[in-house]
Amino acid sequence: MMLVMAGVKTIEDAYDFIQEVGICTIFSEGVQGVRSFWDAVDLPDREGGRTKWGARMEAVWAWKTELPTLYPDDVYYGKIPGGHAALMSMRYLKEVHFPKNARPVSTCKPLAQQVYEIVRLSPGTTAEIRREAMERFGCSKSRFDTALKELQVSLNMVRLNEPDLKKDTWVPFEEVYGELGLEREGGSDV
């Protein structure tokens, strides 16, 4: 068994950690067999940062977005079953996560399918898509959030990782990762 590095202090260490473990949740320790990025980062909890949150929280919060932006061919950010946010190596995504968890949007709940159609036709920020979904379908914020999570877990929708974006912007998974040549079980209905 490989010795998994700890003591992540820089974004380069974070990249190496993800490549070594394959997958890690951002904060949660509750996913059996999956390491926690939070636990691997070795920075002060309540001090050493630019804000009251401390260097560790600042690093984890920033790196979860910066890693897939800086290393788009090597690091993936998304939700895993249970709704936990996770980072994973592209190799893990292709070989393990996608084959096990991707499913056609047609198998998602009706509201998730409707939200997907909004995104497919006009990618946008969380707030923009939520506003349109609530107006068109009369859903609550909570139901919208559940649909958004389902679309991420089923690998139908993904956050766009562009350096200039300040807010989460959503696009169909295939738009960003279609070149991976990943096949969905049960057809390619995305």
Side-chain angles (χ1 to χ4, degrees):
M1 183 172 183
M2 222 191 257
L3 177 64
V4 177
M5 68 178 287
V8 172
K9 294 182 183 288
T10 66
I11 196 166
E12 293 81 11
D13 291 344
Y15 171 86
D16 291 341
F17 174 76
I18 292 161
Q19 297 310 304
E20 187 172 342
V21 299
I23 183 172
C24 60
T25 59
I26 305 299
F27 295 107
S28 177
E29 300 171 11
V31 180
Q32 187 173 355
V34 178
R35 296 281 306 266
S36 162
F37 188 54
W38 172 261
D39 290 340
V41 174
D42 186 17
L43 294 170
D45 277 341
R46 301 266 182 226
E47 55 193 48
R50 297 177 310 277
T51 68
K52 66 181 180 179
W53 301 109
R56 185 180 191 191
M57 177 62 85
E58 289 173 12
V60 169
W61 194 254
W63 293 345
K64 76 174 178 58
T65 303
E66 292 170 7
L67 284 160
T69 300
L70 293 171
Y71 306 103
D73 297 331
D74 300 317
V75 178
Y76 173 81
Y77 168 85
K79 300 274 185 176
I80 60 174
H84 302 282
L87 289 166
M88 64 187 79
S89 69
M90 204 57 69
R91 180 177 179 179
Y92 187 91
L93 172 67
K94 289 169 79 170
E95 295 176 3
V96 179
H97 187 70
F98 190 92
K100 184 177 178 185
N101 296 290
R103 57 182 225 267
V105 73
S106 61
T107 67
C108 293
K109 292 181 180 163
L111 181 59
Q113 291 179 44
Q114 292 168 322
V115 169
Y116 176 82
E117 280 304 305
I118 291 172
V119 173
R120 187 181 69 76
L121 296 172
S122 180
T125 66
T126 305
E128 292 166 344
I129 298 164
R130 181 189 311 117
R131 184 173 31 258
E132 185 171 344
M134 290 172 79
E135 287 174 11
R136 287 179 58 190
F137 310 121
C139 64
S140 65
K141 180 184 181 305
S142 174
R143 286 194 58 230
F144 169 82
D145 291 343
T146 299
L148 183 65
K149 189 182 302 181
E150 181 180 7
L151 289 167
Q152 292 173 75
V153 170
S154 63
L155 298 163
N156 283 293
M157 201 159 70
V158 66
R159 186 182 71 193
L160 195 56
N161 296 311
E162 298 293 328
D164 298 334
L165 293 176
K166 300 297 179 210
K167 296 180 180 180
D168 287 349
T169 300
W170 301 98
V171 296
F173 180 90
E174 303 296 326
E175 189 173 307
V176 178
Y177 297 105
E179 79 282 355
L180 295 177
L182 300 171
E183 298 287 328
R184 287 178 192 273
E185 251 183 61
S188 60
D189 175 43
V190 283

